Amino acid sequence: MKIRLFPKDEKFFELFRKDAANLKEGVDALQDLVDHYDDIEKKFQKIKSIEHQGDILTHDIITRLRGTFITPLEREDIHELASGLDDVLDCIEGVAGRLNSFKVSVPTPEMKKLVAIISQAVSQIYEAITHLEKLGHVPTSARKSIS
């Protein structure tokens, strides 16, 4: 029977799943904005709210990281992943904000295509993060040889 004096904090995986789901919600809202280009201010405010929720989740992850002795992944990896998810959501909000601020009359076909690509990428990120906990049990040396 193993007894850990400092148990691993597995809550990180739950927070990452919430953060990834929030990111997916943000990109879906951006996709809706460019596909159904009406009521831009209301849709921008929704994206802004989603981004704010992402900031809260990122703050929770970083705060938990500071207070956790043993983490399920490398500390740097946890910080980088949380920051990366936050950066993507910040960019999504930035696009929506510019569409709103600059009173863009209609999104270009190229813009719609780029948003569709971003949406596909975020779906892949979401899928990867939902399986991250399983990867966390792979020895560090094996994970490094995968990449």
Side-chain angles (χ1 to χ4, degrees), residues 29 32-33 36-47 96 100:
D32 178 58
L33 173 63
H36 309 284
Y37 202 67
D38 55 16
D39 209 2
I40 291 88
E41 174 67 30
K42 182 179 178 185
K43 290 179 181 180
F44 166 64
Q45 290 302 325
K46 178 181 178 182
I47 292 170
N100 184 52

Side-chain angles (χ1 to χ4, degrees), residues 11-119:
K11 179 116 173 142
F12 286 105
F13 297 118
E14 179 185 331
L15 288 169
F16 279 134
R17 284 189 294 270
K18 286 181 181 178
D19 207 5
N22 191 63
L23 174 59
K24 189 160 177 5
E25 184 180 352
V27 80
D28 290 346
L30 180 62
Q31 185 78 61
D32 178 58
L33 173 63
V34 298
D35 287 348
H36 309 284
Y37 202 67
D38 55 16
D39 209 2
I40 291 88
E41 174 67 30
K42 182 179 178 185
K43 290 179 181 180
F44 166 64
Q45 290 302 325
K46 178 181 178 182
I47 292 170
K48 191 173 180 176
S49 174
I50 293 167
E51 191 279 332
H52 179 70
Q53 182 60 34
D55 287 343
I56 292 169
L57 287 164
T58 301
H59 180 267
D60 289 350
I61 291 168
I62 301 303
T63 300
R64 181 169 289 277
L65 183 60
R66 286 186 191 128
T68 302
F69 187 72
I70 298 177
T71 58
L73 301 170
E74 297 293 325
R75 301 179 85 71
E76 301 82 24
D77 294 342
I78 291 171
H79 191 276
E80 232 178 284
L81 182 55
S83 297
L85 293 171
D86 185 58
D87 290 346
V88 174
L89 198 48
D90 289 345
C91 290
I92 288 170
E93 181 197 15
V95 169
R98 286 173 187 84
L99 289 171
N100 184 52
S101 295
F102 298 141
K103 307 294 184 210
V104 174
S105 58
V106 62
T108 64
E110 294 83 7
M111 181 185 294
K112 288 183 175 189
K113 188 172 184 174
L114 284 171
V115 169
I117 291 168
I118 293 167
S119 181

